Amino acid sequence: MARRKKGYYRARDLARQRIEKLFLLAEEEHLLHPERSDRYAALARRMGMRMRVRIPRRLKRQICKGCRCYLTPQRTRVRLRDGVLTITCTECGEQMRYPYRRPR
Ligand SMILES: [Zn+2]
């Protein structure tokens, strides 16, 4: 692997922490200020891309793939059928499908 500039790993580590923090804020704010949550989600996404940090799966699923809004139970419809979990964003109608295996 190519040698990285000094501080690169630390910077990415910080980015990961900030992403977690942004999602925490988004969760705290979404009832009173849903537009802030969308902003936090957008910031987290951009930070992830800029620093090339992967957003953890549980958090990534909280962002709509279509309109990039922060997804909350109020904004989504969830359907589970034939091992496929479908999350529908009620803001833009985008459907996100995930494989689902019943826990054993
Ligand atoms: Zn959407």
Side-chain angles (χ1 to χ4, degrees), residues 27-65:
E27 190 169 348
E28 280 168 19
E29 296 271 21
H30 80 257
L31 284 177
L32 294 175
H33 305 284
E35 75 290 347
R36 285 188 199 166
S37 293
D38 292 343
R39 173 102 179 109
Y40 294 144
L43 285 173
R45 198 179 102 83
R46 213 165 58 196
M47 174 113 58
M49 289 195 289
R50 189 173 141 70
M51 298 307 293
R52 300 208 300 182
V53 168
R54 201 179 282 257
I55 295 177
R57 186 160 67 173
R58 68 177 198 289
L59 299 181
K60 204 174 197 167
R61 287 185 182 187
Q62 291 184 293
I63 303 181
C64 171
K65 203 155 57 69

Side-chain angles (χ1 to χ4, degrees), residues 11-25:
R12 285 179 87 203
D13 230 47
L14 280 173
R16 280 189 200 98
Q17 288 169 27
R18 286 191 190 133
I19 287 169
E20 294 276 346
K21 180 77 183 159
L22 283 167
F23 273 96
L24 276 181
L25 286 171

Side-chain angles (χ1 to χ4, degrees), residues 1-6 8-9 12 52:
M1 207 166 102
R3 193 112 164 86
R4 294 288 182 189
K5 239 190 278 177
K6 205 173 140 197
Y8 175 76
Y9 295 102
R12 285 179 87 203
R52 300 208 300 182

Side-chain angles (χ1 to χ4, degrees), residues 63-71 75-76 88-96:
I63 303 181
C64 171
K65 203 155 57 69
C67 63
R68 308 279 178 217
C69 72
Y70 179 74
L71 294 176
R75 275 176 165 175
T76 51
T88 307
C89 171
T90 51
E91 302 284 309
C92 72
E94 178 82 8
Q95 292 188 333
M96 289 146 280

